[in-house]
Amino acid sequence: MVTTTTPTARPVNAPVRGRRSPLASAGLHLTLIVASAIAVFPVLWVLLTSLKPAKYATTTDFFKETTLENYTNLLNDTPFLSWFWNSLLVAVLTTLVGVFISATTGYAVSRFRFPGKRGLMWTLLITQMFPVAVLIVPIYNIMGSLGLLNRSAGLVITYLTIAVPFCAWMMKGFFDTIPREIDESGYVDGLTPFGTFWRLILPLAKPGIAVTAFYSFITAWGEVAYASAFMVGDENLTLAGGLQKFVNQYGAQWGPMSAASVLIAVPAALVFLFAQRHLVTGMSAGAVKG
């Protein structure tokens, strides 16, 4: 005898699993709106301040006598373009060299066995534990002994010591997710290990490379401590050191400084927009395996 069971009817007013109530949905949207406002408020304040004349710089009269005078004075009456070029040169060199070193190091550690491999990985990790305050004096002495103070090359090398260890560790985790069979197919076709890396593996590692490039660029573009300590003279300053010229013991020139802040944010935003579609994939893949 076959028995059948009749499914129990769901009450009409019972909540559907996975569907938020109107009150919970309203609370979630309100929280997101408040969080977005908090995140956008400082950026909007700086942007609006850059469009105000000096006499209204510290007031809330954002749309009174709106002007571009701060931008024109910044570009015409200060060495801002020289600072911008110095920062861009250092950031681009740090990004190119950092991506190459991090990718090759990560690939070598991921694919090959050699003496000291574990020690190398621990060294890359431990170097991230030292704060700038501890490293700035010894690095300053080293750069001074090598004649690299007040030179762009000195800043590039310094920033590589910050970016490469983290990026190499991350790239190693990313390369671990790429099947080794791809390497073997390259060897069968007569490619060298470097040829296999360059022609087969590297094109598959675009998300990891995007994250590495973004991190290296931001490290060099927004760093202040080393740039302020290692570089002197208006013609050699980067943006980090140049912005300090607008602040003295008697006050701050909020108009030019806010205008400079807006212009400084543009390259970082462009790099982010270029790399954003790869950032989540690259960071999550690099964190899967260590």
Side-chain angles (χ1 to χ4, degrees), residues 45-56:
W45 185 286
V46 172
L47 176 61
L48 294 178
T49 300
S50 70
L51 299 174
K52 294 190 298 184
K55 58 183 178 181
Y56 299 122

Side-chain angles (χ1 to χ4, degrees), residues 13-14 69 104 127 134 137 152 181 210 213 219 227 239 268 276:
N13 296 326
E69 183 180 359
T104 52
T127 55
V134 174
V137 173
S152 298
E181 287 76 8
T219 297
L239 289 168
Q276 66 172 341

Side-chain angles (χ1 to χ4, degrees), residues 111-125:
R111 290 299 195 262
F112 305 120
R113 296 183 179 274
F114 53 87
K117 173 181 176 180
R118 183 178 295 273
L120 173 63
M121 295 305 298
W122 275 108
T123 300
L124 295 176
L125 186 62

Side-chain angles (χ1 to χ4, degrees), residues 53-130:
K55 58 183 178 181
Y56 299 122
T58 57
T59 69
T60 55
D61 297 324
F62 292 113
F63 302 102
K64 192 172 184 179
E65 299 183 21
T66 301
T67 177
L68 295 176
E69 183 180 359
N70 291 320
Y71 290 92
T72 57
N73 292 341
L74 177 69
L75 297 176
N76 297 328
D77 302 333
T78 69
F80 177 81
L81 293 178
S82 177
W83 304 337
F84 191 94
W85 166 251
N86 291 338
S87 291
L88 187 62
L89 177 64
V90 170
V92 170
L93 289 177
T94 301
T95 301
L96 294 177
V97 179
V99 168
F100 180 77
I101 296 178
S102 301
T104 52
T105 302
Y107 179 74
V109 174
S110 173
R111 290 299 195 262
F112 305 120
R113 296 183 179 274
F114 53 87
K117 173 181 176 180
R118 183 178 295 273
L120 173 63
M121 295 305 298
W122 275 108
T123 300
L124 295 176
L125 186 62
I126 291 173
T127 55
Q128 302 300 298
M129 301 179 183
F130 295 97

Side-chain angles (χ1 to χ4, degrees), residues 171-200:
M171 289 299 295
K172 185 264 182 187
F174 186 85
F175 286 130
D176 285 344
T177 64
I178 298 178
R180 293 177 178 269
E181 287 76 8
I182 297 178
D183 302 68
E184 296 172 357
S185 65
Y187 300 151
V188 171
D189 291 337
L191 294 176
T192 62
F194 184 81
T196 301
F197 163 76
W198 186 260
R199 298 179 61 180
L200 300 181

Side-chain angles (χ1 to χ4, degrees), residues 233-272:
D234 285 347
E235 70 281 0
N236 297 320
L237 290 179
T238 60
L239 289 168
L243 284 181
Q244 299 180 29
K245 297 291 184 179
F246 299 122
V247 182
N248 55 47
Q249 59 181 334
Y250 303 108
Q253 303 177 50
W254 295 112
M257 187 160 58
S258 59
S261 299
V262 172
L263 295 178
I264 290 171
V266 172
L270 293 177
V271 172
F272 175 78

Side-chain angles (χ1 to χ4, degrees), residues 39 74 123 161 195 273-274:
L74 177 69
T123 300
T161 64
L273 290 175
F274 176 75

